[in-house]
Amino acid sequence: MATAQAQPNIALIKYWGKRDVCRNLPAVGSLSLTLATLWTRMKVEFSTDIEADRLLVDGEIAAAMLPRVSRCLDQVAGCDRPHALIESDCNFPIAAGLASSASAFAALVVAANEACIEAGNIVAASRTTLDLARLAGAASGSAARSLFGGIVELVAGDARINVATMKQPPAWPLRVVVAVTERGHKPVASGDAMILSEKSSPFYSSWVRNQDQDLEVARSAVETRDFAQLAAVSEHNCLKMHSVMWTSRPPVVYWKPATLACMEAIRALQSEGQPVFFTMDAGPQVKAICLPDNEAQVMKTLSEIEGVETVMSSGLGTGACLLDDA
Ligand code: 2P0
């Protein structure tokens, strides 16, 4: 038995599209911020006394998510593993575009691997953080990034991914303000939407073709701590991804009226000279990236927008880690 915690991550240069659906390899590289204050905690207990895998999410049985979790445990512990009881707790809304699958699968892999080590599994004992990230990424592409803290880059290689921290949290004190516009589950799972985009959006191929250029600009902005450059390339990359979604058939539209209202409010803050920019993922929530000095203003502005239910804020945090079961 072991317990682990992981924080979700927010991509500035987005992962959208799969090069290999079976192995869940991304078509493009990505760059993300691992958060500090939002978390998922996973407890995994393997036992021959358990008759079938059982998953509890925030105390409730979650049968729909179980097959994906069981497949991930097979990858970590082998198909001949004992059945498992998995308990997941999360301090933010799940399946709503807040990267809950990233923190969930990162924590799951770390906890399951530790439980395997305790049971004497030699393969598990030899795994590096990158190995764990690859296992998490096979279950949920963005989960690979939550194994690492700070500003993280995932490189989509030919045969497998590479992922690592580019900058540790204290190096650049970026803040992420999350405006929750709807707590409900997303209408289309992001994995399904990506496959649909590849099949039907006329913009998909140019999206993939131009990603390396955006990554290069973002990388250099991080290296030189150039907020304006990071803002420009991140907003552009986000809007390109949503254009691919919108032009899929049928269209995939995750935004709500409040999503657009938040974007406009952020644009207004920018026109006053405030360092802030937006990004949105497979959901209607808006994430505003800013600096400590203007965080309070950004939170106040977004919380006053009609349709915004809550505003949360976080700095950059560490990668997934084990928790003391006691
Ligand atoms: C990202 N998203 O880079 C992008 C931006 C959503 C929009 O990674 O199919 O749940 O499990 O590999 O990891 C969400 O995708 O997808 C995601 P799968 P995942 O954060």
Side-chain angles (χ1 to χ4, degrees), residues 11 14-16 18 24 68 101 139-142 145 190-191 194 241 281-282:
K14 309 288 189 185
Y15 151 48
W16 195 255
K18 296 176 192 284
N24 203 38
R68 202 168 159 203
S101 71
S140 169
S142 55
R145 300 187 309 237
S190 39
M194 288 180 202
M241 177 186 75
D281 295 291

mmCIF file with all atom_site columns, all heavy atoms in Angstrom, residues 11 14-16 18 24 68 101 139-142 145 190-191 194 241 281-282, ligand 1:
data_model
loop_
_atom_site.group_PDB
_atom_site.id
_atom_site.type_symbol
_atom_site.label_atom_id
_atom_site.label_alt_id
_atom_site.label_comp_id
_atom_site.label_asym_id
_atom_site.label_entity_id
_atom_site.label_seq_id
_atom_site.pdbx_PDB_ins_code
_atom_site.Cartn_x
_atom_site.Cartn_y
_atom_site.Cartn_z
_atom_site.occupancy
_atom_site.B_iso_or_equiv
_atom_site.pdbx_formal_charge
_atom_site.auth_seq_id
_atom_site.auth_comp_id
_atom_site.auth_asym_id
_atom_site.auth_atom_id
_atom_site.pdbx_PDB_model_num
ATOM   1   N N   . ALA A 1 11  ? -0.927  23.807 -19.351 1.00 0.00 ? 11  ALA A N   1
ATOM   2   C CA  . ALA A 1 11  ? -0.030  23.965 -20.508 1.00 0.00 ? 11  ALA A CA  1
ATOM   3   C C   . ALA A 1 11  ? -0.131  25.377 -21.072 1.00 0.00 ? 11  ALA A C   1
ATOM   4   O O   . ALA A 1 11  ? -1.230  25.927 -21.210 1.00 0.00 ? 11  ALA A O   1
ATOM   5   C CB  . ALA A 1 11  ? -0.390  22.950 -21.582 1.00 0.00 ? 11  ALA A CB  1
ATOM   6   N N   . LYS A 1 14  ? 0.367   23.935 -25.935 1.00 0.00 ? 14  LYS A N   1
ATOM   7   C CA  . LYS A 1 14  ? -0.571  22.848 -25.641 1.00 0.00 ? 14  LYS A CA  1
ATOM   8   C C   . LYS A 1 14  ? -0.246  21.529 -26.338 1.00 0.00 ? 14  LYS A C   1
ATOM   9   O O   . LYS A 1 14  ? 0.261   21.513 -27.462 1.00 0.00 ? 14  LYS A O   1
ATOM   10  C CB  . LYS A 1 14  ? -1.973  23.240 -26.107 1.00 0.00 ? 14  LYS A CB  1
ATOM   11  C CG  . LYS A 1 14  ? -2.469  24.589 -25.631 1.00 0.00 ? 14  LYS A CG  1
ATOM   12  C CD  . LYS A 1 14  ? -2.806  24.567 -24.175 1.00 0.00 ? 14  LYS A CD  1
ATOM   13  C CE  . LYS A 1 14  ? -3.516  25.854 -23.758 1.00 0.00 ? 14  LYS A CE  1
ATOM   14  N NZ  . LYS A 1 14  ? -3.732  25.890 -22.301 1.00 0.00 ? 14  LYS A NZ  1
ATOM   15  N N   . TYR A 1 15  ? -0.641  20.463 -25.660 1.00 0.00 ? 15  TYR A N   1
ATOM   16  C CA  . TYR A 1 15  ? -0.688  19.124 -26.262 1.00 0.00 ? 15  TYR A CA  1
ATOM   17  C C   . TYR A 1 15  ? -2.086  18.959 -26.856 1.00 0.00 ? 15  TYR A C   1
ATOM   18  O O   . TYR A 1 15  ? -3.075  19.021 -26.135 1.00 0.00 ? 15  TYR A O   1
ATOM   19  C CB  . TYR A 1 15  ? -0.404  18.097 -25.159 1.00 0.00 ? 15  TYR A CB  1
ATOM   20  C CG  . TYR A 1 15  ? -1.024  16.722 -25.301 1.00 0.00 ? 15  TYR A CG  1
ATOM   21  C CD1 . TYR A 1 15  ? -0.954  15.991 -26.499 1.00 0.00 ? 15  TYR A CD1 1
ATOM   22  C CD2 . TYR A 1 15  ? -1.650  16.119 -24.213 1.00 0.00 ? 15  TYR A CD2 1
ATOM   23  C CE1 . TYR A 1 15  ? -1.517  14.724 -26.588 1.00 0.00 ? 15  TYR A CE1 1
ATOM   24  C CE2 . TYR A 1 15  ? -2.204  14.849 -24.289 1.00 0.00 ? 15  TYR A CE2 1
ATOM   25  C CZ  . TYR A 1 15  ? -2.136  14.163 -25.483 1.00 0.00 ? 15  TYR A CZ  1
ATOM   26  O OH  . TYR A 1 15  ? -2.681  12.907 -25.566 1.00 0.00 ? 15  TYR A OH  1
ATOM   27  N N   . TRP A 1 16  ? -2.160  18.816 -28.165 1.00 0.00 ? 16  TRP A N   1
ATOM   28  C CA  . TRP A 1 16  ? -3.471  18.532 -28.792 1.00 0.00 ? 16  TRP A CA  1
ATOM   29  C C   . TRP A 1 16  ? -3.215  17.679 -30.018 1.00 0.00 ? 16  TRP A C   1
ATOM   30  O O   . TRP A 1 16  ? -2.698  18.159 -31.019 1.00 0.00 ? 16  TRP A O   1
ATOM   31  C CB  . TRP A 1 16  ? -4.215  19.829 -29.160 1.00 0.00 ? 16  TRP A CB  1
ATOM   32  C CG  . TRP A 1 16  ? -5.670  19.555 -29.459 1.00 0.00 ? 16  TRP A CG  1
ATOM   33  C CD1 . TRP A 1 16  ? -6.267  19.520 -30.690 1.00 0.00 ? 16  TRP A CD1 1
ATOM   34  C CD2 . TRP A 1 16  ? -6.689  19.250 -28.503 1.00 0.00 ? 16  TRP A CD2 1
ATOM   35  N NE1 . TRP A 1 16  ? -7.603  19.203 -30.549 1.00 0.00 ? 16  TRP A NE1 1
ATOM   36  C CE2 . TRP A 1 16  ? -7.888  19.039 -29.222 1.00 0.00 ? 16  TRP A CE2 1
ATOM   37  C CE3 . TRP A 1 16  ? -6.708  19.111 -27.107 1.00 0.00 ? 16  TRP A CE3 1
ATOM   38  C CZ2 . TRP A 1 16  ? -9.085  18.712 -28.584 1.00 0.00 ? 16  TRP A CZ2 1
ATOM   39  C CZ3 . TRP A 1 16  ? -7.907  18.786 -26.481 1.00 0.00 ? 16  TRP A CZ3 1
ATOM   40  C CH2 . TRP A 1 16  ? -9.076  18.600 -27.218 1.00 0.00 ? 16  TRP A CH2 1
ATOM   41  N N   . LYS A 1 18  ? -2.733  13.177 -31.230 1.00 0.00 ? 18  LYS A N   1
ATOM   42  C CA  . LYS A 1 18  ? -1.983  11.961 -30.895 1.00 0.00 ? 18  LYS A CA  1
ATOM   43  C C   . LYS A 1 18  ? -1.287  11.423 -32.131 1.00 0.00 ? 18  LYS A C   1
ATOM   44  O O   . LYS A 1 18  ? -1.919  11.267 -33.175 1.00 0.00 ? 18  LYS A O   1
ATOM   45  C CB  . LYS A 1 18  ? -2.934  10.900 -30.340 1.00 0.00 ? 18  LYS A CB  1
ATOM   46  C CG  . LYS A 1 18  ? -3.586  11.315 -29.028 1.00 0.00 ? 18  LYS A CG  1
ATOM   47  C CD  . LYS A 1 18  ? -4.593  10.272 -28.585 1.00 0.00 ? 18  LYS A CD  1
ATOM   48  C CE  . LYS A 1 18  ? -5.462  10.775 -27.453 1.00 0.00 ? 18  LYS A CE  1
ATOM   49  N NZ  . LYS A 1 18  ? -4.814  10.802 -26.157 1.00 0.00 ? 18  LYS A NZ  1
ATOM   50  N N   . ASN A 1 24  ? -0.606  6.096  -26.904 1.00 0.00 ? 24  ASN A N   1
ATOM   51  C CA  . ASN A 1 24  ? -0.926  7.440  -26.429 1.00 0.00 ? 24  ASN A CA  1
ATOM   52  C C   . ASN A 1 24  ? 0.271   8.387  -26.516 1.00 0.00 ? 24  ASN A C   1
ATOM   53  O O   . ASN A 1 24  ? 0.595   9.099  -25.563 1.00 0.00 ? 24  ASN A O   1
ATOM   54  C CB  . ASN A 1 24  ? -1.468  7.404  -24.980 1.00 0.00 ? 24  ASN A CB  1
ATOM   55  C CG  . ASN A 1 24  ? -2.299  8.641  -24.680 1.00 0.00 ? 24  ASN A CG  1
ATOM   56  O OD1 . ASN A 1 24  ? -3.042  9.119  -25.547 1.00 0.00 ? 24  ASN A OD1 1
ATOM   57  N ND2 . ASN A 1 24  ? -2.174  9.186  -23.485 1.00 0.00 ? 24  ASN A ND2 1
ATOM   58  N N   . ARG A 1 68  ? -9.800  2.580  -17.158 1.00 0.00 ? 68  ARG A N   1
ATOM   59  C CA  . ARG A 1 68  ? -8.581  3.319  -17.503 1.00 0.00 ? 68  ARG A CA  1
ATOM   60  C C   . ARG A 1 68  ? -7.547  3.225  -16.369 1.00 0.00 ? 68  ARG A C   1
ATOM   61  O O   . ARG A 1 68  ? -6.347  3.082  -16.604 1.00 0.00 ? 68  ARG A O   1
ATOM   62  C CB  . ARG A 1 68  ? -8.988  4.774  -17.744 1.00 0.00 ? 68  ARG A CB  1
ATOM   63  C CG  . ARG A 1 68  ? -8.024  5.547  -18.582 1.00 0.00 ? 68  ARG A CG  1
ATOM   64  C CD  . ARG A 1 68  ? -8.668  6.854  -18.989 1.00 0.00 ? 68  ARG A CD  1
ATOM   65  N NE  . ARG A 1 68  ? -7.680  7.835  -19.371 1.00 0.00 ? 68  ARG A NE  1
ATOM   66  C CZ  . ARG A 1 68  ? -7.884  9.136  -19.341 1.00 0.00 ? 68  ARG A CZ  1
ATOM   67  N NH1 . ARG A 1 68  ? -9.036  9.621  -18.936 1.00 0.00 ? 68  ARG A NH1 1
ATOM   68  N NH2 . ARG A 1 68  ? -6.936  9.964  -19.722 1.00 0.00 ? 68  ARG A NH2 1
ATOM   69  N N   . SER A 1 101 ? -7.052  14.818 -14.765 1.00 0.00 ? 101 SER A N   1
ATOM   70  C CA  . SER A 1 101 ? -6.492  13.505 -15.146 1.00 0.00 ? 101 SER A CA  1
ATOM   71  C C   . SER A 1 101 ? -4.974  13.547 -15.065 1.00 0.00 ? 101 SER A C   1
ATOM   72  O O   . SER A 1 101 ? -4.334  12.538 -14.781 1.00 0.00 ? 101 SER A O   1
ATOM   73  C CB  . SER A 1 101 ? -6.980  13.055 -16.520 1.00 0.00 ? 101 SER A CB  1
ATOM   74  O OG  . SER A 1 101 ? -6.407  13.821 -17.536 1.00 0.00 ? 101 SER A OG  1
ATOM   75  N N   . ALA A 1 139 ? -1.228  6.717  -19.919 1.00 0.00 ? 139 ALA A N   1
ATOM   76  C CA  . ALA A 1 139 ? -2.630  6.748  -19.463 1.00 0.00 ? 139 ALA A CA  1
ATOM   77  C C   . ALA A 1 139 ? -3.291  8.079  -19.786 1.00 0.00 ? 139 ALA A C   1
ATOM   78  O O   . ALA A 1 139 ? -4.460  8.134  -20.148 1.00 0.00 ? 139 ALA A O   1
ATOM   79  C CB  . ALA A 1 139 ? -2.687  6.494  -17.961 1.00 0.00 ? 139 ALA A CB  1
ATOM   80  N N   . SER A 1 140 ? -2.530  9.157  -19.658 1.00 0.00 ? 140 SER A N   1
ATOM   81  C CA  . SER A 1 140 ? -3.051  10.504 -19.918 1.00 0.00 ? 140 SER A CA  1
ATOM   82  C C   . SER A 1 140 ? -1.848  11.372 -20.284 1.00 0.00 ? 140 SER A C   1
ATOM   83  O O   . SER A 1 140 ? -0.959  11.572 -19.443 1.00 0.00 ? 140 SER A O   1
ATOM   84  C CB  . SER A 1 140 ? -3.741  11.025 -18.655 1.00 0.00 ? 140 SER A CB  1
ATOM   85  O OG  . SER A 1 140 ? -4.019  12.398 -18.797 1.00 0.00 ? 140 SER A OG  1
ATOM   86  N N   . GLY A 1 141 ? -1.833  11.842 -21.520 1.00 0.00 ? 141 GLY A N   1
ATOM   87  C CA  . GLY A 1 141 ? -0.640  12.515 -22.044 1.00 0.00 ? 141 GLY A CA  1
ATOM   88  C C   . GLY A 1 141 ? -0.122  13.617 -21.132 1.00 0.00 ? 141 GLY A C   1
ATOM   89  O O   . GLY A 1 141 ? 1.086   13.719 -20.869 1.00 0.00 ? 141 GLY A O   1
ATOM   90  N N   . SER A 1 142 ? -1.039  14.423 -20.611 1.00 0.00 ? 142 SER A N   1
ATOM   91  C CA  . SER A 1 142 ? -0.610  15.558 -19.794 1.00 0.00 ? 142 SER A CA  1
ATOM   92  C C   . SER A 1 142 ? -0.094  15.115 -18.424 1.00 0.00 ? 142 SER A C   1
ATOM   93  O O   . SER A 1 142 ? 0.591   15.877 -17.743 1.00 0.00 ? 142 SER A O   1
ATOM   94  C CB  . SER A 1 142 ? -1.774  16.531 -19.618 1.00 0.00 ? 142 SER A CB  1
ATOM   95  O OG  . SER A 1 142 ? -2.887  15.853 -19.088 1.00 0.00 ? 142 SER A OG  1
ATOM   96  N N   . ARG A 1 145 ? 3.643   15.305 -17.475 1.00 0.00 ? 145 ARG A N   1
ATOM   97  C CA  . ARG A 1 145 ? 4.238   16.581 -17.040 1.00 0.00 ? 145 ARG A CA  1
ATOM   98  C C   . ARG A 1 145 ? 4.097   16.789 -15.536 1.00 0.00 ? 145 ARG A C   1
ATOM   99  O O   . ARG A 1 145 ? 4.885   17.521 -14.948 1.00 0.00 ? 145 ARG A O   1
ATOM   100 C CB  . ARG A 1 145 ? 3.588   17.736 -17.817 1.00 0.00 ? 145 ARG A CB  1
ATOM   101 C CG  . ARG A 1 145 ? 3.778   17.629 -19.348 1.00 0.00 ? 145 ARG A CG  1
ATOM   102 C CD  . ARG A 1 145 ? 3.265   18.869 -20.069 1.00 0.00 ? 145 ARG A CD  1
ATOM   103 N NE  . ARG A 1 145 ? 1.924   19.207 -19.687 1.00 0.00 ? 145 ARG A NE  1
ATOM   104 C CZ  . ARG A 1 145 ? 0.874   19.334 -20.521 1.00 0.00 ? 145 ARG A CZ  1
ATOM   105 N NH1 . ARG A 1 145 ? 1.041   19.158 -21.838 1.00 0.00 ? 145 ARG A NH1 1
ATOM   106 N NH2 . ARG A 1 145 ? -0.305  19.667 -20.066 1.00 0.00 ? 145 ARG A NH2 1
ATOM   107 N N   . SER A 1 190 ? -11.191 14.959 -23.696 1.00 0.00 ? 190 SER A N   1
ATOM   108 C CA  . SER A 1 190 ? -10.180 15.586 -24.555 1.00 0.00 ? 190 SER A CA  1
ATOM   109 C C   . SER A 1 190 ? -9.519  14.584 -25.501 1.00 0.00 ? 190 SER A C   1
ATOM   110 O O   . SER A 1 190 ? -9.238  14.920 -26.653 1.00 0.00 ? 190 SER A O   1
ATOM   111 C CB  . SER A 1 190 ? -9.151  16.345 -23.734 1.00 0.00 ? 190 SER A CB  1
ATOM   112 O OG  . SER A 1 190 ? -8.826  15.675 -22.575 1.00 0.00 ? 190 SER A OG  1
ATOM   113 N N   . GLY A 1 191 ? -9.287  13.358 -25.027 1.00 0.00 ? 191 GLY A N   1
ATOM   114 C CA  . GLY A 1 191 ? -8.665  12.363 -25.904 1.00 0.00 ? 191 GLY A CA  1
ATOM   115 C C   . GLY A 1 191 ? -9.507  12.108 -27.154 1.00 0.00 ? 191 GLY A C   1
ATOM   116 O O   . GLY A 1 191 ? -8.988  12.071 -28.283 1.00 0.00 ? 191 GLY A O   1
ATOM   117 N N   . MET A 1 194 ? -9.377  15.130 -29.487 1.00 0.00 ? 194 MET A N   1
ATOM   118 C CA  . MET A 1 194 ? -8.113  15.224 -30.251 1.00 0.00 ? 194 MET A CA  1
ATOM   119 C C   . MET A 1 194 ? -8.176  14.357 -31.507 1.00 0.00 ? 194 MET A C   1
ATOM   120 O O   . MET A 1 194 ? -7.747  14.768 -32.586 1.00 0.00 ? 194 MET A O   1
ATOM   121 C CB  . MET A 1 194 ? -6.931  14.718 -29.401 1.00 0.00 ? 194 MET A CB  1
ATOM   122 C CG  . MET A 1 194 ? -6.522  15.627 -28.288 1.00 0.00 ? 194 MET A CG  1
ATOM   123 S SD  . MET A 1 194 ? -5.140  14.871 -27.407 1.00 0.00 ? 194 MET A SD  1
ATOM   124 C CE  . MET A 1 194 ? -5.279  15.728 -25.844 1.00 0.00 ? 194 MET A CE  1
ATOM   125 N N   . MET A 1 241 ? -5.101  26.205 -30.815 1.00 0.00 ? 241 MET A N   1
ATOM   126 C CA  . MET A 1 241 ? -5.662  24.910 -30.416 1.00 0.00 ? 241 MET A CA  1
ATOM   127 C C   . MET A 1 241 ? -7.192  24.970 -30.416 1.00 0.00 ? 241 MET A C   1
ATOM   128 O O   . MET A 1 241 ? -7.854  24.053 -30.919 1.00 0.00 ? 241 MET A O   1
ATOM   129 C CB  . MET A 1 241 ? -5.160  24.523 -29.021 1.00 0.00 ? 241 MET A CB  1
ATOM   130 C CG  . MET A 1 241 ? -5.765  23.219 -28.533 1.00 0.00 ? 241 MET A CG  1
ATOM   131 S SD  . MET A 1 241 ? -5.341  22.820 -26.834 1.00 0.00 ? 241 MET A SD  1
ATOM   132 C CE  . MET A 1 241 ? -6.402  23.970 -25.942 1.00 0.00 ? 241 MET A CE  1
ATOM   133 N N   . ASP A 1 281 ? -8.131  25.382 -21.529 1.00 0.00 ? 281 ASP A N   1
ATOM   134 C CA  . ASP A 1 281 ? -7.871  24.005 -21.961 1.00 0.00 ? 281 ASP A CA  1
ATOM   135 C C   . ASP A 1 281 ? -9.173  23.350 -22.421 1.00 0.00 ? 281 ASP A C   1
ATOM   136 O O   . ASP A 1 281 ? -10.030 24.041 -22.928 1.00 0.00 ? 281 ASP A O   1
ATOM   137 C CB  . ASP A 1 281 ? -7.157  23.274 -20.826 1.00 0.00 ? 281 ASP A CB  1
ATOM   138 C CG  . ASP A 1 281 ? -5.784  23.914 -20.608 1.00 0.00 ? 281 ASP A CG  1
ATOM   139 O OD1 . ASP A 1 281 ? -4.942  23.767 -21.490 1.00 0.00 ? 281 ASP A OD1 1
ATOM   140 O OD2 . ASP A 1 281 ? -5.599  24.610 -19.598 1.00 0.00 ? 281 ASP A OD2 1
ATOM   141 N N   . ALA A 1 282 ? -9.283  22.050 -22.229 1.00 0.00 ? 282 ALA A N   1
ATOM   142 C CA  . ALA A 1 282 ? -10.485 21.364 -22.702 1.00 0.00 ? 282 ALA A CA  1
ATOM   143 C C   . ALA A 1 282 ? -11.602 21.538 -21.680 1.00 0.00 ? 282 ALA A C   1
ATOM   144 O O   . ALA A 1 282 ? -12.068 20.586 -21.046 1.00 0.00 ? 282 ALA A O   1
ATOM   145 C CB  . ALA A 1 282 ? -10.174 19.892 -22.934 1.00 0.00 ? 282 ALA A CB  1
HETATM 146 C C1  . 2P0 B 2 .   ? -2.691  20.174 -22.424 1.00 0.00 ? 1   2P0 B C1  1
HETATM 147 N N1  . 2P0 B 2 .   ? -4.935  19.142 -22.764 1.00 0.00 ? 1   2P0 B N1  1
HETATM 148 O O1  . 2P0 B 2 .   ? -1.602  20.321 -22.996 1.00 0.00 ? 1   2P0 B O1  1
HETATM 149 C C2  . 2P0 B 2 .   ? -3.906  20.000 -23.320 1.00 0.00 ? 1   2P0 B C2  1
HETATM 150 C C3  . 2P0 B 2 .   ? -4.580  21.268 -23.610 1.00 0.00 ? 1   2P0 B C3  1
HETATM 151 C C4  . 2P0 B 2 .   ? -6.237  19.717 -22.902 1.00 0.00 ? 1   2P0 B C4  1
HETATM 152 C C5  . 2P0 B 2 .   ? -6.061  20.947 -23.697 1.00 0.00 ? 1   2P0 B C5  1
HETATM 153 O O2  . 2P0 B 2 .   ? -3.526  17.519 -22.259 1.00 0.00 ? 1   2P0 B O2  1
HETATM 154 O O3  . 2P0 B 2 .   ? -6.086  11.675 -24.159 1.00 0.00 ? 1   2P0 B O3  1
HETATM 155 O O4  . 2P0 B 2 .   ? -6.439  14.343 -20.602 1.00 0.00 ? 1   2P0 B O4  1
HETATM 156 O O5  . 2P0 B 2 .   ? -5.605  11.379 -21.736 1.00 0.00 ? 1   2P0 B O5  1
HETATM 157 O O6  . 2P0 B 2 .   ? -3.749  11.863 -23.343 1.00 0.00 ? 1   2P0 B O6  1
HETATM 158 O O7  . 2P0 B 2 .   ? -3.932  14.331 -20.982 1.00 0.00 ? 1   2P0 B O7  1
HETATM 159 C C6  . 2P0 B 2 .   ? -5.752  17.037 -21.833 1.00 0.00 ? 1   2P0 B C6  1
HETATM 160 O O8  . 2P0 B 2 .   ? -5.444  15.811 -22.353 1.00 0.00 ? 1   2P0 B O8  1
HETATM 161 O O9  . 2P0 B 2 .   ? -5.472  13.565 -22.804 1.00 0.00 ? 1   2P0 B O9  1
HETATM 162 C C7  . 2P0 B 2 .   ? -4.665  17.917 -22.313 1.00 0.00 ? 1   2P0 B C7  1
HETATM 163 P P1  . 2P0 B 2 .   ? -5.210  12.043 -23.024 1.00 0.00 ? 1   2P0 B P1  1
HETATM 164 P P2  . 2P0 B 2 .   ? -5.283  14.465 -21.538 1.00 0.00 ? 1   2P0 B P2  1
HETATM 165 O O10 . 2P0 B 2 .   ? -2.809  20.224 -21.196 1.00 0.00 ? 1   2P0 B O10 1
#
